[in-house]
Amino acid sequence: MEERVYNFSAGPACLPIEVLKQAQKDFISYGASGMNVMEMSHRSAEYQDIIDTAEADLRELLNIPDSYDVLFLQGGASMQFCMVPMNLMTKYKKIHAVNTGQWSKKAIAEAKKFGEVNVVASSEDKTFSYIPELSADMFTPDADYVHITSNNTIYGTKYTKLPPVGGLPLVSDMSSCILSEVFNVSDYALIYAGAQKNIGPAGVTIVIVRKDLVENAPEDIPTMLRYKTHADNGSMFNTPPTYAIYIAGLVFKNLKKLGGVAEMEKINKEKAAMLYEFLDNSSLFRATVSGADRSMMNVPFVTGDADLDKEFVAEAKKAGLVNLKGHRSVGGMRASIYNAMPMDGVRSLIAFMAEFEAKHK
Amino acid sequence: MEERVYNFSAGPACLPIEVLKQAQKDFISYGASGMNVMEMSHRSAEYQDIIDTAEADLRELLNIPDSYDVLFLQGGASMQFCMVPMNLMTKYKKIHAVNTGQWSKKAIAEAKKFGEVNVVASSEDKTFSYIPELSADMFTPDADYVHITSNNTIYGTKYTKLPPVGGLPLVSDMSSCILSEVFNVSDYALIYAGAQKNIGPAGVTIVIVRKDLVENAPEDIPTMLRYKTHADNGSMFNTPPTYAIYIAGLVFKNLKKLGGVAEMEKINKEKAAMLYEFLDNSSLFRATVSGADRSMMNVPFVTGDADLDKEFVAEAKKAGLVNLKGHRSVGGMRASIYNAMPMDGVRSLIAFMAEFEAKHK
């Protein structure tokens, strides 16, 4: 077998090797079809089964109530930054939002094109290294919804409790944490996630949205940007990103086989705890986020010396531990340890860091 | 090797076997990267090379002038139905359009959300079985652009000459004919094409657009729907559909190796001529389109007996000739013979039709 690396990319990110092997096996002919899934008509019975199974497995994994639509869309989270307000910012033309990083900011900037955005809290003062304290009085009822980013890929923070939004619909960008731990879909009005972190290849975006909100969205927006267009057509109003959905489906099957999201959460907790424990005890490295808001998926860390950081990233790459460079706005390093990063990948990273630390005492 | 079928699907459609084999070989590790292309960060040097090479090869294949941007977008042609008017229907808030089929109609309906659409001609009277005669006086200068659908996938027609649009910008949906024959990009202001017919997997849409039009488009439209957003960022404003672009790149490389678009055109002409000749001489089958407007890519045909059509489609499938059912609005059969359909596929289809005809004399 070809040599694989441990890929700590923030996204697109590593996929389970079992999924890749299965897709490789079926590359010239999927089952008895005589063709690759990407050559299949999306109107064929064979492809209908692939997308139906993917949706059913995702519903099972996240325990999604029937009162929610599950949509496979295109355009990434960035497209949701306009689709969400176009469909949902309709009555008050105002929303509340929490600013916890670059993606929150982009979502806020885009929503401002469609109405008023009340930023109730921000952690920008400390390079987004924490989740701001939120209180019920921030969320006045004169808003169409509240927007948050559940896990902040760049800064390595995550919400550990629900914002006290009262009766307001809660909308979350879960691109970098969906399927990583158990949560209650019913706590949200709409959840969106680009696939390229915990789901599958870039090019498919999953939207889980309350059916009543889909029904009540305005009719005069562009056809492709209306959730109802896609909900009414089982995500096949036009040709969906068929292959990306197929790979996502394989990831769902693989996760079910592993025991589902609860089991994955245990593994993720263990992986993250191991890495944070090392960082907290290191004399050379330190995590940039402290306390309860630490992400289980994205772990930024620094040595405090930019040149040494650079050396670490370069040496790690030589050792087969790749994409560890941090985002320029935080600097240093970042290890993204999504569902598909094996425990052994985290162990190898820690062993390498210990070795590097010993060398640079 | 697994058994392959001849897949006459209208899209997603068959891909060159050489492309599939290459991608399969690189599935566990692309070159020395230690990962699949779909696991690569889109910000990595390795992926940058993949997208840059894909763009350069497409520019070479279509001889695209430097004054045009080449964009890799998401959402299919359907998303272009709103993006084109949002970006280009800005001065007169009026366009001219020709109605040559279901996709033209959808483009027209969507454009109406943004201004006036003057339908200069339509072939709906005869189930879109021809391209209407167009004259210069139809295209009054009080319009932002003219919209056409160069090849009509469902009905099997194509334009054989440019509409006499005078100085107006010409916009064309080339989803089902791009790269099938030589054409002059400079005759168009904007060309768009969903990938899933002649380019690659569903999930990437190619837009070739004059740079001055990109620059002059309004700023207040949603960020993701502005061509300038993507042009300014080399199609990487956000994560692009990385794997679909990679496969498209392999298709471009393969086409270059075959001799480019001019060589492909010769092969396509031969494939189509062979099939139409058989149909014109058959005592059982007939093509639904006659004369000069016949598509080289999509060939609808009927026996005149709906039950017999059904039997033909079923029997053909058993013989490994699949997806020959025609669109419900035309009925009968349709053979889509895109670039990736080998000559032997068309020969096998003709041989099977001859056999079927002999049996049903």
Side-chain angles (χ1 to χ4, degrees):
Chain A
M1 197 187 108
E2 297 89 343
E3 202 169 342
R4 296 267 299 171
V5 294
Y6 287 121
N7 176 14
F8 294 92
S9 171
C14 56
L15 288 165
I17 186 69
E18 300 84 358
V19 166
L20 292 176
K21 283 183 177 168
Q22 181 66 45
Q24 185 185 37
K25 192 171 87 55
D26 289 340
F27 212 76
I28 303 299
S29 176
Y30 175 82
S33 71
M35 62 183 84
N36 185 299
V37 171
M38 61 181 92
E39 299 173 278
M40 278 182 189
S41 168
H42 58 301
R43 304 290 179 204
S44 65
E46 243 151 353
Y47 191 75
Q48 189 67 53
D49 182 58
I50 288 173
I51 193 170
D52 286 350
T53 305
E55 180 180 335
D57 285 343
L58 182 63
R59 283 187 178 272
E60 187 183 329
L61 283 165
L62 293 177
N63 197 15
I64 302 172
D66 288 342
S67 52
Y68 285 71
D69 282 315
V70 172
L71 308 176
F72 296 98
L73 305 181
Q74 296 186 57
S78 296
M79 190 65 91
Q80 294 310 308
F81 296 167
C82 72
M83 280 182 78
V84 173
M86 281 171 120
N87 283 272
L88 267 54
M89 203 198 272
T90 52
K91 189 178 168 192
Y92 299 101
K93 306 262 176 205
K94 176 183 168 179
I95 64 166
H96 299 304
V98 187
N99 180 16
T100 55
Q102 184 175 303
W103 296 105
S104 293
K105 278 175 91 163
K106 286 195 179 189
I108 288 165
E110 197 66 18
K112 281 183 180 167
K113 293 190 174 181
F114 305 93
E116 188 187 339
V117 181
N118 174 37
V119 179
V120 298
S122 167
S123 52
E124 193 161 14
D125 59 334
K126 290 181 182 168
T127 325
F128 300 114
S129 58
Y130 67 102
I131 300 290
E133 206 50 52
L134 302 171
S135 59
D137 60 309
M138 292 173 172
F139 301 101
T140 54
D142 59 336
D144 288 306
Y145 59 89
V146 176
H147 183 276
I148 63 167
T149 313
S150 289
N151 182 83
N152 296 279
T153 322
I154 296 175
Y155 308 95
T157 62
K158 72 155 187 164
Y159 284 77
T160 52
K161 51 180 187 262
L162 281 176
V165 297
L168 287 176
L170 180 59
V171 174
S172 180
D173 178 353
M174 290 201 185
S175 294
S176 52
C177 62
I178 194 164
L179 293 169
S180 68
E181 60 181 327
V182 175
F183 70 96
N184 189 359
V185 170
S186 304
D187 289 333
Y188 300 84
L190 187 151
I191 292 157
Y192 61 90
Q196 66 271 19
K197 295 160 197 291
N198 259 342
I199 296 171
V204 59
T205 311
I206 286 177
V207 173
I208 302 165
V209 53
R210 255 172 43 204
K211 284 181 177 171
D212 61 305
L213 294 172
V214 171
E215 287 304 321
N216 293 329
E219 287 178 25
D220 59 350
I221 57 180
T223 307
M224 282 293 287
L225 303 183
R226 269 188 95 196
Y227 292 125
K228 193 167 158 55
T229 299
H230 305 285
D232 285 352
N233 291 282
S235 298
M236 298 233 257
F237 169 73
N238 67 334
T239 318
T242 48
Y243 198 73
I245 294 170
Y246 157 68
I247 296 287
L250 292 181
V251 170
F252 300 154
K253 275 264 176 281
N254 190 60
L255 184 48
K256 279 177 64 179
K257 214 170 136 191
L258 285 173
V261 179
E263 198 53 41
M264 195 75 245
E265 178 176 346
K266 278 187 212 161
I267 299 169
N268 285 332
K269 276 187 172 154
E270 200 179 328
K271 285 190 294 182
M274 225 164 45
L275 185 50
Y276 282 118
E277 199 195 334
F278 174 83
L279 288 166
D280 289 344
N281 291 306
S282 170
S283 58
L284 182 65
F285 300 99
R286 67 172 180 83
T288 59
V289 176
S290 53
D293 302 336
R294 283 174 165 178
S295 167
M296 281 206 304
M297 296 283 104
N298 313 96
V299 183
F301 57 97
V302 294
T303 64
D305 174 340
D307 287 336
L308 203 57
D309 287 350
K310 223 171 157 175
E311 188 185 330
F312 175 80
V313 171
E315 293 295 318
K317 190 179 173 183
K318 285 182 201 160
L321 306 163
V322 308
N323 287 320
L324 281 163
K325 189 165 181 276
H327 190 272
R328 63 185 179 283
S329 60
V330 178
M333 283 72 71
R334 173 179 46 174
S336 292
I337 50 174
Y338 298 117
N339 286 1
M341 173 57 66
M343 189 74 79
D344 270 350
V346 179
R347 282 200 196 103
S348 299
L349 172 61
I350 292 172
F352 182 81
M353 289 168 80
E355 205 181 296
F356 189 88
E357 185 177 314
K359 262 197 246 168
H360 291 84
K361 260 200 181 141
Chain B
M1 199 188 108
E2 297 90 342
E3 202 170 342
R4 297 267 297 171
V5 294
Y6 287 122
N7 176 13
F8 294 92
S9 171
C14 55
L15 287 165
I17 185 70
E18 301 84 358
V19 165
L20 293 176
K21 283 183 177 168
Q22 180 66 46
Q24 185 186 36
K25 192 171 90 56
D26 289 342
F27 211 76
I28 302 300
S29 176
Y30 174 82
S33 72
M35 62 183 85
N36 184 300
V37 171
M38 62 180 90
E39 300 173 278
M40 280 183 188
S41 167
H42 59 300
R43 304 291 180 203
S44 65
E46 243 150 354
Y47 191 74
Q48 188 67 54
D49 182 58
I50 288 173
I51 193 171
D52 287 349
T53 305
E55 180 180 335
D57 285 343
L58 182 62
R59 282 188 179 273
E60 189 184 327
L61 283 166
L62 293 178
N63 197 17
I64 302 173
D66 288 343
S67 52
Y68 285 71
D69 283 315
V70 173
L71 308 176
F72 296 98
L73 306 181
Q74 296 186 58
S78 295
M79 190 64 91
Q80 295 310 307
F81 296 166
C82 71
M83 281 182 78
V84 173
M86 282 171 119
N87 283 272
L88 267 54
M89 203 198 273
T90 52
K91 189 178 170 194
Y92 299 102
K93 306 261 177 206
K94 176 182 168 180
I95 65 165
H96 299 305
V98 187
N99 180 16
T100 55
Q102 185 175 300
W103 296 105
S104 293
K105 277 175 92 162
K106 286 195 178 187
I108 289 166
E110 197 67 17
K112 281 182 181 167
K113 293 191 173 180
F114 305 93
E116 188 187 340
V117 180
N118 175 36
V119 179
V120 298
S122 166
S123 52
E124 194 162 14
D125 58 334
K126 290 182 183 165
T127 325
F128 299 115
S129 59
Y130 67 101
I131 301 291
E133 204 51 51
L134 302 171
S135 58
D137 61 308
M138 292 173 171
F139 300 102
T140 54
D142 59 335
D144 288 306
Y145 60 88
V146 177
H147 184 277
I148 62 168
T149 314
S150 288
N151 183 83
N152 296 280
T153 322
I154 296 175
Y155 308 94
T157 62
K158 71 155 186 164
Y159 283 78
T160 51
K161 51 180 187 260
L162 282 175
V165 296
L168 287 176
L170 180 59
V171 173
S172 179
D173 178 353
M174 289 201 186
S175 294
S176 52
C177 62
I178 194 165
L179 293 169
S180 69
E181 60 181 327
V182 175
F183 70 95
N184 189 1
V185 170
S186 304
D187 290 333
Y188 300 83
L190 187 152
I191 292 157
Y192 61 90
Q196 65 271 19
K197 295 160 197 288
N198 259 342
I199 297 171
V204 59
T205 311
I206 287 178
V207 173
I208 302 166
V209 53
R210 255 172 42 203
K211 284 182 176 169
D212 62 304
L213 295 172
V214 171
E215 287 304 321
N216 292 329
E219 287 177 26
D220 59 350
I221 56 180
T223 306
M224 283 293 287
L225 302 184
R226 268 188 95 197
Y227 292 125
K228 191 166 158 58
T229 299
H230 305 286
D232 286 351
N233 292 282
S235 299
M236 298 234 255
F237 170 73
N238 68 333
T239 318
T242 49
Y243 198 72
I245 294 170
Y246 156 68
I247 297 287
L250 292 181
V251 171
F252 300 155
K253 275 263 177 284
N254 190 60
L255 185 47
K256 278 177 65 179
K257 214 170 135 190
L258 285 173
V261 179
E263 199 53 43
M264 196 75 244
E265 177 176 345
K266 277 186 213 162
I267 299 169
N268 284 332
K269 276 187 173 156
E270 200 178 331
K271 285 190 293 183
M274 224 161 46
L275 186 49
Y276 282 119
E277 199 194 333
F278 174 82
L279 288 166
D280 290 344
N281 291 306
S282 170
S283 59
L284 182 65
F285 301 99
R286 67 172 179 84
T288 59
V289 176
S290 53
D293 302 337
R294 283 174 165 179
S295 168
M296 281 206 303
M297 296 284 102
N298 312 97
V299 183
F301 56 97
V302 293
T303 64
D305 174 339
D307 287 336
L308 204 55
D309 288 349
K310 223 171 160 178
E311 188 187 330
F312 175 80
V313 171
E315 292 295 318
K317 189 178 174 184
K318 285 183 201 160
L321 306 163
V322 309
N323 287 321
L324 281 163
K325 189 166 180 275
H327 190 272
R328 63 183 178 284
S329 60
V330 178
M333 284 71 72
R334 173 178 47 174
S336 293
I337 50 174
Y338 297 118
N339 287 1
M341 173 57 66
M343 189 74 78
D344 271 350
V346 179
R347 282 201 195 101
S348 299
L349 173 61
I350 292 172
F352 182 81
M353 289 169 80
E355 205 181 295
F356 189 89
E357 184 177 313
K359 262 197 247 166
H360 292 84
K361 260 199 184 143

